[in-house]
Amino acid sequence: MYGKASAPEYQGALTTLSVNSSLTDVLAAGTEQLRAAERAGQHGEAARSGLAVAEAHRRLGRIGEADQAWKASYRAARAAGDIAAMAWALWSGGTLARQRGALALARRLLRLAAELGERGGDIVVRGYSLAGLAETGRIQGDYEAVGELHEQLLAEARRRGEARHTVWALEGIAQMHRNTGAYDTAYAMFEEAAGIAARADDRRGHAWALRGLADVVSVRDGDTERALALLAEAETTCRTMKLTSALAYNHKMRGNVLYRAGRHAEARDLYEQALTEFRAMSEPRGEALARLGLAKSLARLGRDRAETAAELADLAHTLERTGLRHAREMVARAQEEFGLRAQEESGLRARDESGPRAQEESGPRAEVVR
C-alpha cells in the first residue's frame, strides 16, 4: 500500500536527496546549489534549494540561520512568481516558529502556506501546512480542536499512500491518546507507525515512533529495560542523521523512563543533558519539559522544598504565557505530587489581594517611567 518514503521539501536539483540523508549532507548540497542558482539569477531554483537549506538548519537547531534561509527562499519564490514555492517557504517558517515557541506566528504562517498551496495547486504543501496547524494545536493541548483535523489528514495520507505523512498523523493521534490515558490505543498506533516507517525506510519517523512506544511501555507496563532499549535504537538513528531536536527529546524521554523507575540520579543527569541541548537550539517547549523533569528529580534527591516550589511556580507562569496547556497541566500534577499545589494557589490569592494596593502605591513612579 505504501511506497518508499520521500522528502518533498527537497526540490529542484535536490530531489535526489533521500528522506534519510544526513542533515549535514543536505545542508552542504543545498548551500552549493543555492549559490549556483543565485549566481545564475535563477530565482525559482534559489527558492527551492533555499528551502532545503532552511529545513536543514532548523532540524540541526540553528534557529537564526533557519530564519534567514526561509525568508530568503520566500523572497526568491515571490521574485519567480512561484506560488507553490512561496507556500513551502511559509511552511518552513511556520514550522520554525512553532519550534521556537512563537505559536501565534506559527499558526499565521501555516494558514497562509495552506492557502497558497491550494492556490498554487500543490496538495502536498497544503497537507503539510494543515498538518503543521494540527500539530501546533496538539502541543498546546487543544485536542478537541485539532483531533478531527488529525484524523482527516490521516485519512487523506492513507488514501494517497503517503507513508511519511501517514506515520506523522498516526504518531500525533497516538500522542493525544497517550496523554489522555488511552495507553492501549496509543501503543497500537505507535506500533503501526513504526511498522509503516520501517517498510517505507523512513528512519526519522521510525525513531519518533520508537520514542512513543518506549513512553507507553514505561508508563503502562513499567518495563524500564525494554523502554530504554527502544530509545537506544532510536538514538542511533538520531545520531546517524544528525537529528538534533529528536535526539534532545530522546534524552528527555530517557529521563522520564528513569524517573518512573525511581532511578532519580540517572534521570537528573539525562534531564540536565536534554536541557543543555534544548537551550542550545532555542527550543522553549523542550526546555520547559526538561526543566520540569529536572525539578522533580532534584526534589526526590533532597532539594530544598522552597526551591522546588519556586522552580515549579516559575515554570507554571512561563507555560501560561506561551499557551502550552498540556505542559502546564503536567506542572500542576508535579505540584500536587510534592504537596505544593495549595501553596501555589495561596500565593496567587495573596498576590491578587495585594495587587490593587501595590498598583496604587507604585502609580506615580510608573507614570514617570512611561
Side-chain angles (χ1 to χ4, degrees):
M1 179 180 178
Y2 298 102
K4 189 173 182 179
S6 62
E9 67 271 34
Y10 301 153
Q11 303 173 5
L14 301 173
T15 53
T16 55
L17 290 172
S18 162
V19 67
N20 298 319
S21 295
S22 162
L23 292 178
T24 51
D25 292 343
V26 172
L27 183 57
T31 300
E32 181 181 357
Q33 185 60 33
L34 173 59
R35 288 171 179 164
E38 288 174 338
R39 286 194 299 268
Q42 299 172 337
H43 297 300
E45 184 59 36
R48 294 183 181 278
S49 55
L51 173 66
V53 171
E55 281 301 285
H57 278 308
R58 181 183 68 79
R59 291 165 178 165
L60 287 166
R62 301 171 182 172
I63 302 303
E65 293 92 333
D67 191 53
Q68 293 174 6
W70 83 259
K71 290 175 180 175
S73 175
Y74 179 83
R75 289 192 296 269
R78 187 173 58 189
D82 190 332
I83 294 175
M86 290 166 64
W88 275 109
L90 289 170
W91 164 78
S92 181
T95 306
L96 175 67
R98 182 178 66 244
Q99 181 173 317
R100 62 186 176 87
L103 301 182
L105 176 61
R107 288 191 295 271
R108 186 160 66 249
L109 292 175
L110 290 166
R111 284 194 190 100
L112 285 171
E115 291 169 8
L116 286 180
E118 189 161 2
R119 280 174 49 196
D122 190 326
I123 60 171
V124 178
V125 71
R126 175 188 170 275
Y128 271 54
S129 301
L130 291 175
L133 283 169
E135 187 164 349
T136 302
R138 178 175 59 76
I139 68 171
Q140 288 185 275
D142 197 1
Y143 299 160
E144 290 183 10
V146 299
E148 186 175 341
L149 180 55
H150 269 82
E151 294 284 358
Q152 172 194 327
L153 293 168
L154 174 60
E156 289 180 6
R158 286 192 192 279
R159 188 165 57 250
R160 292 198 296 268
E162 292 178 359
R164 190 178 176 207
H165 216 181
T166 300
V167 168
W168 167 86
L170 282 168
E171 290 171 351
I173 297 168
Q175 191 64 52
M176 289 188 281
H177 283 302
R178 178 263 178 264
N179 290 346
T180 53
Y183 299 129
D184 291 346
T185 302
Y187 184 91
M189 298 189 82
F190 279 128
E191 189 173 45
E192 183 184 358
I196 293 172
R199 290 189 295 275
D201 196 24
D202 175 7
R203 297 174 196 166
R204 181 186 294 114
H206 190 250
W208 281 105
L210 291 180
R211 176 184 172 275
L213 284 171
D215 186 24
V216 177
V217 164
S218 167
V219 72
R220 182 191 67 177
D221 306 333
D223 192 340
T224 302
E225 296 312 312
R226 185 178 172 220
L228 292 175
L230 289 166
L231 290 169
E233 182 182 349
E235 180 169 359
T236 299
T237 297
C238 293
R239 290 193 181 280
T240 301
M241 295 180 63
K242 312 295 185 188
L243 302 176
T244 308
S245 178
L247 183 60
Y249 275 105
N250 182 294
H251 291 154
K252 195 275 297 179
M253 181 56 69
R254 189 170 301 185
N256 290 359
V257 170
L258 292 167
Y259 181 86
R260 292 172 192 143
R263 294 158 61 174
H264 301 126
E266 294 173 80
R268 174 200 59 202
D269 294 344
L270 265 297
Y271 286 131
E272 286 177 341
Q273 180 179 351
L275 182 57
T276 299
E277 292 167 336
F278 284 126
R279 283 177 171 164
M281 69 183 77
S282 302
E283 188 158 342
R285 175 171 170 263
E287 180 181 340
L289 293 172
R291 279 181 63 194
L292 174 58
L294 181 57
K296 291 169 62 177
S297 297
L298 290 172
R300 291 294 180 190
L301 291 169
R303 186 187 194 184
D304 181 78
R305 181 179 173 83
E307 291 180 5
T308 299
E311 175 74 7
L312 292 177
D314 182 64
L315 258 177
H317 299 322
T318 297
L319 293 168
E320 286 284 359
R321 286 198 309 273
T322 54
L324 294 172
R325 190 173 72 191
H326 175 68
R328 173 65 183 89
E329 291 170 356
M330 291 171 65
V331 174
R333 288 197 294 272
Q335 289 171 321
E336 290 175 356
E337 180 180 343
F338 295 102
L340 301 170
R341 188 67 184 274
Q343 179 178 328
E344 166 71 3
E345 292 173 351
S346 175
L348 288 172
R349 283 196 299 273
R351 282 196 294 274
D352 290 341
E353 291 167 2
S354 64
R357 183 181 303 168
Q359 186 176 6
E360 183 179 331
E361 291 174 354
S362 62
R365 287 191 293 277
E367 191 65 38
V368 171
V369 171
R370 284 199 295 272

